[in-house]
């Protein structure tokens, strides 16, 4: 079946099958958070992005193979409610942005900086530090050698705009600068965007609206 990226809490996961990587998207919790399970097709190693909520559902999606790593995109509580339970069940190594790790109540094994590489099997993900939604938010970029890039943006980029900066002009200026220079300026329009909540999008769909986002200030 064709991947749509449209998932609902309590509903089935949606699977994006790439040549080297399988991406399983599932919605969990009262804030409709997205969690993404990445599986290297060569080694079957798995990595989870955001153990947001509902550990039972996440562990059922992970399955008996477990996960080697879990990445928390940022420190906001709706993105780590199930982290302790998932780590206890899988013994996965934890990753988070250096500046946000202190705000996550599960010890971070790997502090992530801009440009760092995170591996899942033979697949490499590049971390991009995006400041504004939180001090240490990270996005993960998979530059698919067989196709277009894919980027997991947490709460820093959604269809229709950047993440919430709480009407703080400095935070908004920082976030939109980082999203533009590290995401839009470095990746093509075909890049698929997987946000922390809601439906997916592409950079090409969002790029024409950047001037509107600047003008409105959120």
């Amino acid at each position: 079946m064709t991947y749509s990226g449209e998932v609902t809490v309590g509903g089935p996961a949606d699977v994006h099958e790439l040549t080297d990587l399988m991406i399983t998207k599932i919605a969990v919790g009262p804030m409709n958070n997205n969690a993404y399970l990445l599986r290297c097709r060569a080694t079957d190693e798995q990595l989870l992005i955001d153990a947001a909520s509902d550990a039972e559902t996440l562990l059922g999606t992970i399955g008996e193979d477990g996960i080697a790593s879990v990445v928390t995109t940022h420190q906001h509580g709706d993105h780590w409610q199930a982290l302790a339970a998932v780590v206890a069940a899988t013994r996965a190594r934890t990753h988070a942005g250096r500046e946000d790790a202190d705000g996550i109540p599960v010890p971070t094994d790997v502090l992530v900086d801009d440009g760092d590489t995170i591996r899942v099997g033979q697949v490499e993900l590049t971390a991009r530090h995006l400041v504004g939604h939180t001090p240490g938010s990270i996005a993960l970029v998979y530059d698919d050698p067989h196709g277009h890039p894919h980027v997991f943006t947490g709460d820093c980029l959604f269809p229709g705009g950047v993440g919430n900066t709480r009407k703080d002009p400095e935070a908004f200026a920082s976030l939109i600068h980082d999203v533009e220079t590290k995401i839009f300026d470095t990746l093509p329009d075909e890049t698929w965007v997987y946000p922390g909540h809601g439906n997916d999008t592409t950079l090409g769909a969002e790029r024409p609206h950047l001037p509107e986002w600047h003008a409105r200030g959120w």
Side-chain angles (χ1 to χ4, degrees), residues 167-209:
K167 299 182 179 180
D168 181 336
E170 290 187 6
F172 171 75
S174 175
L175 182 56
I176 199 161
H177 171 270
D178 283 0
V179 166
E180 281 192 294
T181 59
K182 297 181 181 181
I183 304 297
F184 281 98
D185 289 355
T186 63
L187 299 170
D189 284 352
E190 295 78 14
T191 301
W192 198 278
V193 176
Y194 305 82
H197 305 262
N199 293 339
D200 300 352
T201 186
T202 65
L203 292 187
E206 306 305 321
R207 195 184 302 274
H209 303 289

Side-chain angles (χ1 to χ4, degrees), residues 21-168:
L21 186 69
M22 291 182 62
I23 302 167
T24 299
K25 178 180 182 179
I26 190 164
V28 292
M31 296 185 69
N32 297 295
N33 285 74
N34 296 324
Y36 299 94
L37 181 66
L38 279 54
R39 186 183 189 100
C40 171
R41 301 187 75 155
T43 66
D44 286 331
E45 185 171 288
Q46 298 190 120
L47 175 150
L48 180 68
I49 299 174
D50 283 344
S53 187
D54 195 350
E56 183 177 355
T57 295
L58 294 180
L59 290 170
T61 302
I62 290 166
E64 294 183 359
D65 288 343
I67 52 173
S69 306
V70 56
V71 178
T72 303
T73 58
H74 63 289
Q75 65 177 282
H76 287 160
D78 58 309
H79 289 260
W80 48 253
Q81 290 298 310
L83 181 59
V86 167
V87 169
T90 63
R91 298 185 179 180
R93 285 174 62 80
T94 56
H95 298 65
R98 183 178 300 274
E99 291 79 5
D100 269 17
D102 286 347
I104 300 169
V106 176
T108 298
D109 297 317
V110 181
L111 298 173
V112 180
D113 295 309
D114 188 59
D116 283 356
T117 297
I118 298 173
R119 298 182 64 90
V120 50
Q122 297 180 4
V123 171
E124 291 188 350
L125 309 169
T126 301
R128 303 315 312 257
H129 181 204
L130 308 174
V131 182
H133 182 67
T134 67
S137 290
I138 53 173
L140 297 178
V141 179
Y142 170 50
D143 193 359
D144 186 354
H146 307 285
H148 55 74
H150 301 256
V151 57
F152 302 87
T153 57
D155 284 1
C156 288
L157 177 63
F158 296 98
V162 295
N164 186 3
T165 51
R166 299 161 297 281
K167 299 182 179 180
D168 181 336

